[in-house]
Amino acid sequence: MPAVVIDDIHKRFGAIEVLKGVSLTVESGQVVAVIGRSGSGKSTMLRCINGLEPFQSGRIEVAGHEVVQNQKRLRALRKDVGMVFQSYNLFPHLTVGQNITLSPRVTQKVPEKEAVERAREVLAQVGLSEKYDAYPETLSGGQQQRVAIARSLAMQPKVMLFDEVTSALDPELTGEVLIVMEKLAQGGMTMLLVTHEMNFARSVADVTVFMHQGKIWEMGPSEELFTSPKTPELANFISAGVK
Amino acid sequence: MTSFGWPEFLFLLRSTGWTLLLTVIAFTLGGVAGGGIAIMRLSRNPVLRWIAMLYILVIQSIPVLMVLFMSYYGLTLFGIELPPTVAASASLAVYVAAYLAEIWRGCIQAVPKQQWEASASLALTRFEQYRYVILPQAIRISLPPTVGFLVQLVKNTSIVSVVGFTDLARAGQLINQAVFKPFQVFTVVAALYFVICFPLSRLSRYLEGRLNARRSH
Amino acid sequence: MAMTLHFESVIAASPIIIDGIILTIELSASAIIGGTALALLLVGTKSLAPKYVGWLVDAYVELMRNTPFLVQLFMIFFGLPLVGMRMTGVQAALLAMTLNLGAYSTEIIRAGVDSIHKSQIEAGLSLAFSRLQVFRYVVLMPAIGRVWPALSSQFVLMLLASSICSFISVPELSGAAALVEQRTFRSFEVYIIVTVTYLIMALTLKLFLAWLGRWLFVGISMNAASGEKG
Ligand SMILES: Nc1ncnc2c1ncn2[C@@H]1O[C@H](COP(=O)(O)OP(=O)(O)OP(=O)(O)O)[C@@H](O)[C@H]1O
Ligand SMILES: [Mg+2]
């Protein structure tokens, strides 16, 4: 059963149509990378999937939930769908541990002790066990982003969405975050990730999607897509983007 | 003619206590209402938003004195006779609620939008978002302007004699009528207000400095 | 309890109310002009005069900001005649309002002056302007432009606070209301009319000040936005 089904969605901001009929299927356990120019609608598509942006027409189903603008149903969906943002968005007034245990305790009613255990587990997974009691502002950007990933993992999601999670990081810090994501992929997590890291998309993602002007312009197995792009737009993008 | 001596000074001190008590009650009542109005002002429901906006706009555009008269005579018109303490605190609370609502709305909006998105993505309800994520951050931001407003409130309590409450300013007026030493009496009255307000003003400024230091950190 | 409102007798007394409105406008307008002038003088003094003069300005500002307007009004109205300065209620009101608003505006405008970048001042000095000229042409207008919203709210607050002058029987709008109330015994009706009048005056003043700000400070607030520290 597919984990994510996007069926012909259209999304407008005022008069500007940002998604012009996007369809995409992500199988369970698959890793799909989304690449494309700035403004091509990548973030918007990702945000539609977990209901942060409403869309005008089309249909999205993720982890067995249909995306509708109904708060209760959206919350049920979000318990199964993790989202990691470019700017980490940790809660600055809470420690790392509190950031991670907050939602399991509040929304899933996990008992304190179990929530803490879970938090220590996911922190170990991202290699930050010793930072449990630290405040976000004392961490580097890369560490904060790994905590943000751990915070999503603690929800035990079925699908994870990543929106350019390394774009705000200094180059020397992107590696540690990418390693965490690669391990997640190997562990069988279903992942949909927007990225500017072409090498990462090529080597880790099963499928890569190229978005252009609000449409899925081209998609296919990553290796194939990068070695033999079919459209001049993708070819241009790849030759300009590969550093 | 009596002179301005110890008994008069003690009367002023006692009235200072009443001024403080009135401030605390009005601030508490107004704070509860103001918090609710601030959240209404940011609600997703346009009707609630509109009511809150209108309330704030109207109260901030009429003199506190009129707020006092209107609440006082308004209640009397409905046949409700209130003791001065209740009348004064309730009508001051009407004024406090509008100003605190506006201050706190700004503080809630000063919390970055991404905090809302991140907490929504973690499946928190709107109430839980406020409770665990937004308000703790907003409260920190709100301390300096809230303490600053407290100074305004202390000063504005000085007009509550119009609803029959004997506060510090009224006590000064009464003593002055008896001893007719306006400079002495009102200097002491002003000094008592100053002793309350000045430390609060400094505290507000100190808190703001600390907040800015943290931010630029 | 029957609750009926009767506006007839109140409307019959409308000349008193209208005189009150006019006096409120006159008092507020004079205090805004006088208070701003005083504030400019004090801010200029603080920026240019020796330190201890600046401390005096600070002391004045803090004293005014941390005591109620009503007590200041009493001090002036009841106190000054004792040292030979007899004055009418209206004169006392005008003096108190000007001194009060002057203190608040000093604080606001000073914050604006502080936000002007040092390089601007140095640029002015290097163009052979005198310190006073730099203050006037390089610092002041942009400074006021930046704090215009805060200054505007303070002006509106002053208009509203002018109602407190009714405590010394000045027949501005609130004082007029008290007169009409004594004459007609229709308290609630009087205060409804007067409250709505204040509302209209305050909103009009807000709109006027916003318009004035756009007209006076063309381009300056835009500079402020881009000059803001991150
Ligand atoms: N809230 C919004 N209101 C109006 N327009 C928006 C909004 N959010 C995004 N847009 C517009 O929608 C388009 C797509 O934006 P989106 O953020 O999805 O692009 P992106 O592919 O993620 O780009 P980037 O690589 O810069 O993140 C852009 O033209 C953007 O200006
Ligand atoms: Mg994006």
Side-chain angles (χ1 to χ4, degrees):
Chain A
M1 187 185 101
V4 183
V5 180
I6 303 176
D7 184 15
D8 193 30
I9 58 165
H10 290 256
K11 161 76 186 169
R12 264 181 282 112
F13 285 113
I16 303 159
E17 188 161 39
V18 173
L19 296 179
K20 304 167 183 164
V22 170
S23 300
L24 176 66
T25 301
V26 180
E27 296 298 332
S28 207
Q30 223 178 14
V31 177
V32 175
V34 182
I35 59 173
R37 286 222 170 74
S38 179
S40 55
K42 308 180 297 290
S43 300
T44 307
M45 178 181 79
L46 220 58
R47 291 159 61 84
C48 284
I49 296 175
N50 82 340
L52 282 179
E53 296 285 359
F55 47 91
Q56 279 78 31
S57 70
R59 199 176 151 275
I60 300 179
E61 199 179 306
V62 52
H65 305 273
E66 177 162 2
V67 179
V68 283
Q69 284 300 321
N70 164 307
Q71 294 308 314
K72 209 167 168 180
R73 289 178 65 182
L74 273 184
R75 283 200 300 278
L77 176 154
R78 286 166 179 165
K79 286 179 191 174
D80 288 333
V81 180
M83 173 99 171
V84 185
F85 301 86
Q86 180 174 343
S87 50
Y88 342 130
N89 304 350
L90 294 180
F91 306 134
H93 60 297
L94 301 179
T95 64
V96 165
Q98 291 166 336
N99 260 279
I100 299 174
T101 54
L102 177 66
S103 184
R105 283 172 48 191
V106 171
T107 70
Q108 300 178 334
K109 309 282 180 252
V110 175
E112 164 101 39
K113 223 178 118 203
E114 198 188 319
V116 171
E117 262 167 42
R118 229 197 246 184
R120 294 207 181 275
E121 234 164 75
V122 291
L123 260 190
Q125 224 173 317
V126 301
L128 287 172
S129 293
E130 76 285 2
K131 297 295 186 188
Y132 190 89
D133 289 313
Y135 278 92
E137 63 176 6
T138 65
L139 304 182
S140 73
Q143 291 172 328
Q144 291 193 43
Q145 193 58 292
R146 282 145 72 195
V147 172
I149 294 174
R151 182 173 69 177
S152 282
L153 286 176
M155 298 288 286
Q156 304 179 331
K158 300 190 178 117
V159 178
M160 293 268 292
L161 309 173
F162 298 83
D163 190 4
E164 291 191 33
V165 294
T166 58
S167 295
L169 298 176
D170 294 338
E172 66 268 25
L173 297 179
T174 57
E176 63 186 55
V177 176
L178 293 179
I179 288 169
V180 166
M181 290 168 64
E182 190 169 352
K183 275 201 305 189
L184 261 181
Q186 285 159 0
M189 176 64 77
T190 309
M191 294 164 60
L192 183 55
L193 51 102
V194 173
T195 186
H196 283 170
E197 301 287 332
M198 298 304 158
N199 291 331
F200 183 79
R202 187 170 184 164
S203 61
V204 177
D206 305 305
V207 171
T208 295
V209 173
F210 173 60
M211 283 189 74
H212 189 66
Q213 297 180 344
K215 284 186 186 138
I216 291 189
W217 207 255
E218 195 174 333
M219 65 185 283
S222 301
E223 192 55 41
E224 207 179 298
L225 192 99
F226 281 102
T227 45
S228 47
K230 295 190 185 66
T231 59
E233 287 81 4
L234 177 57
N236 264 339
F237 181 75
I238 292 174
S239 61
V242 174
K243 291 159 235 166
Chain B
M1 191 185 256
T2 51
S3 67
F4 183 55
W6 268 112
E8 286 74 20
F9 183 67
L10 285 180
F11 179 45
L12 287 184
L13 268 190
R14 234 177 312 133
S15 314
T16 308
W18 285 110
T19 288
L20 284 176
L21 182 71
L22 189 62
T23 303
V24 170
I25 299 177
F27 183 79
T28 311
L29 292 178
V32 172
I37 295 169
I39 287 179
M40 272 171 71
R41 175 69 183 72
L42 297 171
S43 156
R44 279 183 287 215
N45 179 329
V47 178
L48 292 182
R49 225 164 39 221
W50 214 76
I51 293 173
M53 222 153 68
L54 200 66
Y55 180 84
I56 295 171
L57 181 72
V58 168
I59 300 294
Q60 289 199 336
S61 302
I62 60 181
V64 186
L65 187 61
M66 290 304 135
V67 178
L68 287 177
F69 278 137
M70 292 292 285
S71 351
Y72 186 68
Y73 289 112
L75 290 170
T76 320
L77 200 68
F78 284 99
I80 307 167
E81 287 284 347
L82 293 176
T85 316
V86 180
S89 4
S91 39
L92 276 176
V94 171
Y95 141 77
V96 171
Y99 280 82
L100 284 184
E102 182 64 4
I103 292 172
W104 290 346
R105 174 195 63 82
C107 296
I108 293 172
Q109 284 186 318
V111 176
K113 194 175 111 248
Q114 288 90 340
Q115 294 285 311
W116 284 101
E117 293 187 345
S119 49
S121 300
L122 287 167
L124 269 61
T125 63
R126 199 160 167 90
F127 174 79
E128 290 161 351
Q129 288 179 289
Y130 267 121
R131 159 87 177 73
Y132 296 105
V133 178
I134 304 302
L135 289 185
Q137 297 181 62
I139 286 171
R140 199 171 295 176
I141 304 171
S142 75
L143 282 181
T146 304
V147 174
F149 175 73
L150 202 51
V151 177
Q152 305 303 319
L153 174 58
V154 171
K155 290 186 293 179
N156 270 327
T157 58
S158 65
I159 58 172
V160 290
S161 59
V162 295
V163 294
F165 190 92
T166 304
D167 70 319
L168 175 54
R170 177 68 183 154
Q173 218 182 340
L174 289 172
I175 292 175
N176 183 48
Q177 277 162 17
V179 304
F180 210 70
K181 291 246 168 40
F183 261 129
Q184 283 176 24
V185 175
F186 290 120
T187 301
V188 174
V189 170
L192 286 169
Y193 276 111
F194 189 82
V195 165
I196 301 168
C197 294
F198 185 66
L200 287 174
S201 297
R202 295 317 290 243
L203 176 64
S204 168
R205 207 169 284 187
Y206 164 78
L207 289 171
E208 191 174 340
R210 221 181 50 166
L211 195 70
N212 289 340
R214 267 185 78 89
R215 284 230 189 98
S216 59
H217 195 64
Chain C
M1 167 91 204
M3 195 193 77
T4 43
L5 295 178
H6 296 279
F7 285 99
E8 308 81 17
S9 55
V10 178
I11 287 165
S14 58
I16 302 179
I17 304 261
I18 288 170
D19 284 347
I21 294 174
I22 292 171
L23 186 53
T24 290
I25 293 173
E26 286 172 346
L27 279 174
S28 304
S30 317
I32 287 172
I33 293 166
T36 308
L38 175 62
L40 292 179
L41 191 72
L42 293 180
V43 173
T45 307
K46 213 172 128 58
S47 311
L48 303 172
K51 250 203 171 100
Y52 54 88
V53 182
W55 290 337
L56 284 179
V57 174
D58 285 344
Y60 166 72
V61 169
E62 291 299 336
L63 273 176
M64 298 305 279
R65 279 164 47 92
N66 289 293
T67 53
F69 175 66
L70 179 64
V71 176
Q72 295 161 9
L73 188 66
F74 281 165
M75 196 88 146
I76 288 169
F77 185 64
F78 296 116
L80 286 188
L82 292 190
V83 292
M85 297 175 65
R86 289 216 68 82
M87 56 178 82
T88 63
V90 172
Q91 287 165 340
L94 184 56
L95 183 58
M97 285 170 70
T98 306
L99 292 178
N100 184 279
L101 185 58
Y104 278 96
S105 308
T106 300
E107 179 70 12
I108 294 171
I109 296 173
R110 197 190 47 74
V113 168
D114 284 353
S115 76
I116 301 292
H117 216 269
K118 249 199 143 137
S119 61
Q120 294 272 308
I121 299 169
E122 281 158 7
L125 287 173
S126 69
L127 289 171
F129 283 157
S130 75
R131 264 155 58 84
L132 186 64
Q133 284 168 330
V134 168
F135 184 74
R136 180 151 170 229
Y137 297 111
V138 181
V139 178
L140 207 52
M141 280 309 267
I144 297 179
R146 282 183 195 192
V147 295
W148 187 251
L151 209 52
S152 302
S153 332
Q154 201 60 50
F155 292 166
V156 174
L157 284 176
M158 191 74 252
L159 165 71
L160 301 180
S162 70
S163 63
I164 293 176
C165 299
S166 61
F167 275 73
I168 57 168
S169 303
V170 173
E172 44 67 62
L173 183 50
S174 300
L179 289 177
V180 176
E181 185 200 350
Q182 282 161 23
R183 197 175 285 186
T184 62
F185 300 105
R186 306 241 59 110
S187 314
F188 196 62
E189 291 85 336
V190 175
Y191 287 111
I192 284 183
I193 292 178
V194 169
T195 299
V196 171
T197 310
Y198 272 115
L199 188 68
I200 293 168
M201 288 201 291
L203 293 178
T204 310
L205 181 59
K206 267 181 213 174
L207 288 178
F208 169 72
L209 289 171
W211 171 83
L212 186 65
R214 276 197 302 276
W215 184 71
L216 277 179
F217 308 108
V218 198
I220 286 178
S221 353
M222 279 177 354
N223 286 343
S226 61
E228 205 88 42
K229 287 173 282 180

